[in-house]
Amino acid sequence: AAFAMATVLASPVLAKDMVVGFSQVGSESGWRAAETAVTKQEAQKRGIDLKFADAQQKQENQIKAIRSFVAQGVDAILLAPVVATGWDEVLEEAKDAKIPVVLLDRNIDTKDPSLYLTAVTSDQVHEGKVAGDYLVKEVGAKPCKVVELQGTTGSSPAISRKKGFEEAIAGKSNITLARSQTGDFTRTKGKEVMESFIKAENGGKDICAVYAHNDDMAVGAIQAIKEAGLKPGKDIMVVSIDAVPDIFQAMANGEANATVELTPNMAGPAFDALEAYKKDGKEPPKWIQTESKLYTQADNPKAVMESKKGLGY
Ligand code: GZL
């Protein structure tokens, strides 16, 4: 009997692999690339067969990918929604096919929350508030003209991080948000937009700080500030979100001031929720929230950067 039992337990046939389709935004930032790497690692660890689709930041490509996952009859779908609106129709099709959908790192606007099983995201309003509170503390009563590099227009992080930052500086008459434009979460665009802000603000001399919705745009802005002959981190403070290794290098060089950490491991909690749901129908909470921690130059940036190696970066 013992032998038979051993055979049964060892049989790979029993461990039915879950097939999961992942509709990823693209690879617009270092954080996004890390999220993709971690998601593949987490799937491998669990014996999950992951079907990966990169949408190059286009919603229509994500919708196509979801339709193809439904046609393939996958067991579940992960969706990192590039923008917040326009998902109801295609998610209705997944629901009709009884395929659970888990949102990663961004939210959707929908009147029907049954269209997704759960959303694994940070509190993006809080991230903006933490960034803004840091700047308010650093600036004190000094007049400070801020420029803002927004994330992808219509994405939940761009909307929420703007809201949280504005909450932090509300009522501070010495701090003004003078210019705000999307840099689409990329270094290239972040640099371009920062160059235009610098041109419009007396060669950058009138800018006290730049708030970027992610570190990649902040790194682009740092290049633009240096090319204008100014000192990033000193003449113009640099505050952003994600906590990717490159921003810690900038901090170690004194060229960036603060970042708010976003874990690239949204897939771990997502897969855990899906496995519990598949095994015994256990409904997860509608929102699985990940942490947001402030890091500044005082936090040994070199050591933090080293500690991030291997976590998808
Ligand atoms: C936020 C995530 C954002 C990252 C950016 O949860 O959607 O998208 O902050 C990425 O780096 O482009």
Side-chain angles (χ1 to χ4, degrees):
F3 173 74
M5 176 51 86
T7 314
V8 165
L9 282 181
S11 145
V13 173
L14 276 185
K16 178 184 175 322
D17 279 353
M18 194 156 67
V19 179
V20 176
F22 178 19
S23 172
Q24 176 60 299
V25 170
S27 54
E28 73 283 357
S29 70
W31 181 89
R32 181 68 56 195
E35 183 190 54
T36 294
V38 171
T39 301
K40 291 176 177 174
Q41 287 165 8
E42 290 293 325
Q44 189 111 48
K45 250 163 61 177
R46 293 168 168 78
I48 287 171
D49 177 3
L50 189 75
K51 308 284 183 200
F52 180 74
D54 177 318
Q56 281 95 40
Q57 284 191 272
K58 291 187 180 61
Q59 181 173 30
E60 65 266 21
N61 291 343
Q62 292 201 281
I63 291 171
K64 277 192 206 113
I66 293 167
R67 291 208 159 106
S68 130
F69 294 146
V70 171
Q72 290 172 53
V74 298
D75 297 302
I77 290 171
L78 299 183
L79 169 65
V82 60
V83 291
T85 55
W87 300 100
D88 282 10
E89 186 186 336
V90 73
L91 294 185
E92 198 64 57
E93 294 165 25
K95 183 180 173 187
D96 292 346
K98 300 205 178 351
I99 298 173
V101 174
V102 172
L103 303 180
L104 292 196
D105 78 79
R106 293 187 186 177
N107 300 89
I108 63 171
D109 292 341
T110 179
K111 58 194 176 316
D112 180 3
S114 78
L115 290 176
Y116 64 91
L117 182 68
T118 183
V120 183
T121 78
S122 56
D123 178 338
Q124 291 155 3
V125 174
H126 176 65
E127 291 169 333
K129 182 84 169 45
V130 168
D133 287 344
Y134 166 81
L135 187 68
V136 165
K137 195 161 93 6
E138 285 302 302
V139 158
K142 197 166 60 77
C144 183
K145 182 186 278 192
V146 184
V147 294
E148 179 182 34
L149 296 171
Q150 295 182 35
T152 300
T153 304
S155 67
S156 68
I159 294 161
S160 299
R161 288 173 178 173
K162 180 169 191 46
K163 183 168 182 289
F165 186 83
E166 286 172 350
E167 280 169 10
I169 66 170
K172 308 287 176 203
S173 56
N174 60 309
I175 302 178
T176 53
L177 186 50
R179 294 173 190 277
S180 179
Q181 203 178 317
T182 184
D184 213 15
F185 283 130
T186 69
R187 290 183 187 211
T188 310
K189 202 90 168 52
K191 181 180 181 196
E192 262 170 46
V193 174
M194 189 64 191
E195 283 164 351
S196 70
F197 288 161
I198 286 168
K199 264 197 209 81
E201 293 290 347
N202 186 19
K205 293 182 194 60
D206 296 349
I207 300 174
C208 148
V210 53
Y211 165 53
H213 290 183
N214 81 334
D215 293 341
D216 282 66
M217 293 190 291
V219 168
I222 286 167
Q223 283 158 3
I225 294 166
K226 286 161 88 167
E227 285 170 14
L230 296 170
K231 290 189 181 62
K234 295 177 187 59
D235 298 330
I236 298 180
M237 291 178 68
V238 179
V239 182
S240 56
I241 300 169
D242 278 353
V244 300
D246 284 351
I247 204 67
F248 290 101
Q249 184 57 61
M251 273 191 217
N253 301 341
E255 296 174 346
N257 303 88
T259 186
V260 183
E261 185 173 49
L262 177 72
T263 176
N265 188 355
M266 306 278 175
F271 288 142
D272 290 346
L274 277 168
E275 286 175 335
Y277 179 66
K278 283 280 173 193
K279 208 156 67 66
D280 41 20
K282 184 166 163 285
E283 290 269 348
K286 219 60 199 167
W287 180 23
I288 298 173
Q289 183 184 344
T290 62
E291 297 301 302
S292 307
K293 181 174 184 300
L294 178 73
Y295 283 94
T296 70
Q297 289 180 10
D299 295 310
N300 194 344
K302 270 300 220 193
V304 178
M305 184 171 75
E306 287 315 312
S307 74
K308 292 218 167 236
K309 297 262 187 293
L311 297 180
Y313 291 109

